[in-house]
Amino acid sequence: MTLEDRLAREITGDVFFDPFNRGRYATDASFYQIMPAGVVLPRTMDEALRALAICRDDGRIVTPRGGGTSQCGQTVNDGIVIDFSRHLNRIISLDVENRSCVVEPGIVLDDLNRQLKKHGLWFPVDVSTASRATIGGMAGNNSCGGRSLRYGTMRDNTLSMDAALADGTLLHFSEVPRDLAQVDSSDGGQDLFRDLLDLGEREAAEIAEKFPKVQRRVGGYNLDALVPRNAWNNIAHLLVGSEVRSPSPRRLS
C-alpha cells in the first residue's frame, strides 16, 4: 500500500498527492519553492498524530503549516505538509476572568480576536499578517508585532502548550518546579523534563554568556528557558520560536 493510500484510508480530512494541490503548498510568503510529496488536512488532533505516525513509518519528513506567512521557507519541504488551518481552528476554552484561552493551532489571529472582542479582550501579539497568520505558526516563529515592546512576544504570552514529539508522544509543556514535584506527566515526560532542566543548569553560564540579548529570537530551542531562576521554569517557552528554515530551499525561477 502506498503512503497516499494509507493516509487516505486512515484520515477523514483531505489528502492531496496531485500536482495542483502539491503546487499550492510548494511556496509560502518567502521566495523559496519546494514541491511536497503530499498534503494532509486533518480534521482532529488525533488524525494529525495518526498522519505523523504513518509518515514516520514511511520515513517521511513532516512539516506542520498554518497560514504560510513564513518569510524564510519554514513551511515548505519535500515531505508531507500537514495543514492545521482548514479544520483545527477553534477556541477550545476561554477563561475571561483570568484572561486566558486554549485554542487549536490552526486558528487565525483575526478570527481569535473577533471572538474575544465581545468579552473586551484581545490577543496582543498583533502581527501585520493577522488576517492569515495562525496561532500555531505564530508560536513556531515567536511572533511579535508593532506593540511587542508593551505586550511582549508570543513567548511572553504563552502559558502552556501541548506538543507531539517525533515519536508521536503527546506532552503538556507548562510551568514546572525544578524538582518536578506534582508534575502530571508520563514517566517518559518526566524523564525528558528532568533532562531539560539538568541541561539548563549545566549550561547556565554558557547560555548567559553566548545567547544574544535581544527581545525576539527565532533560531531554535530557547535553552535560556531552562536555566535555574527564582520562579518556576516554563518548559513551553523552550518551544516558542523553535521553528527554523527548511533544508535546502530553492529560489523560484
Side-chain angles (χ1 to χ4, degrees):
M1 180 180 295
T2 66
L3 176 61
E4 178 183 4
D5 291 338
R6 187 177 176 192
L7 287 168
R9 185 185 68 178
E10 300 191 30
I11 304 297
T12 63
D14 293 321
V15 174
F16 298 126
F17 274 70
D18 61 288
F20 172 76
N21 281 296
R22 288 166 55 220
R24 292 169 57 207
Y25 286 87
T27 61
D28 54 15
S30 71
F31 49 57
Y32 298 116
Q33 180 180 44
I34 300 179
M35 183 71 80
V39 180
V40 177
L41 282 63
R43 291 185 179 275
T44 65
M45 289 306 302
D46 284 342
E47 285 196 350
L49 293 174
R50 197 174 310 141
L52 175 63
I54 293 171
C55 293
R56 185 175 62 250
D57 290 345
D58 200 65
R60 293 282 188 170
I61 296 171
V62 171
T63 301
R65 178 168 171 144
T69 60
S70 300
Q71 296 181 333
C72 297
Q74 295 101 315
T75 64
V76 294
N77 216 319
D78 59 4
I80 301 299
V81 171
I82 299 183
D83 182 354
F84 291 89
S85 64
R86 178 69 65 85
H87 302 295
L88 295 172
N89 51 22
R90 300 172 302 144
I91 295 179
I92 297 174
S93 64
L94 172 62
D95 185 340
V96 175
E97 181 178 356
N98 291 309
R99 295 183 298 175
S100 64
C101 63
V102 178
V103 302
E104 292 178 324
I107 189 169
V108 172
L109 177 58
D110 273 356
D111 292 338
L112 171 62
N113 279 328
R114 271 192 288 271
Q115 297 179 63
L116 295 179
K117 185 176 182 179
K118 61 186 176 184
H119 303 285
L121 299 173
W122 68 299
F123 191 70
V125 186
D126 56 338
V127 295
S128 60
T129 55
S131 64
R132 305 171 301 285
T134 63
I135 294 296
M138 291 170 60
N141 64 30
N142 193 19
S143 293
C144 51
R147 296 181 177 89
S148 60
L149 290 178
R150 170 66 176 85
Y151 296 105
T153 66
M154 277 297 296
R155 174 175 173 171
D156 302 311
N157 289 279
T158 298
L159 300 177
S160 64
M161 185 183 302
D162 292 331
L165 307 183
D167 65 359
T169 302
L170 191 63
L171 293 179
H172 182 69
F173 293 77
S174 62
E175 288 189 338
V176 297
R178 297 295 299 184
D179 61 3
L180 298 179
Q182 300 179 337
V183 172
D184 185 15
S185 187
S186 64
D187 291 341
Q190 291 264 2
D191 291 342
L192 174 62
F193 296 159
R194 179 74 273 157
D195 288 344
L196 290 173
L197 293 175
D198 287 347
L199 172 66
E201 184 171 2
R202 186 177 71 243
E203 303 297 336
E206 184 82 358
I207 291 169
E209 179 183 356
K210 298 296 177 64
F211 264 50
K213 304 299 189 293
V214 295
Q215 184 175 1
R216 181 196 181 207
R217 293 192 307 272
V218 193
Y221 297 114
N222 287 315
L223 299 182
D224 61 316
L226 305 174
V227 301
R229 51 174 59 92
N230 293 329
W232 287 14
N233 290 85
N234 193 326
I235 305 294
H237 292 175
L238 173 77
L239 304 179
V240 179
S242 61
E243 177 181 273
V244 294
R245 180 183 61 79
S246 298
S248 303
R250 293 176 287 276
R251 291 178 184 269
L252 287 168
S253 58

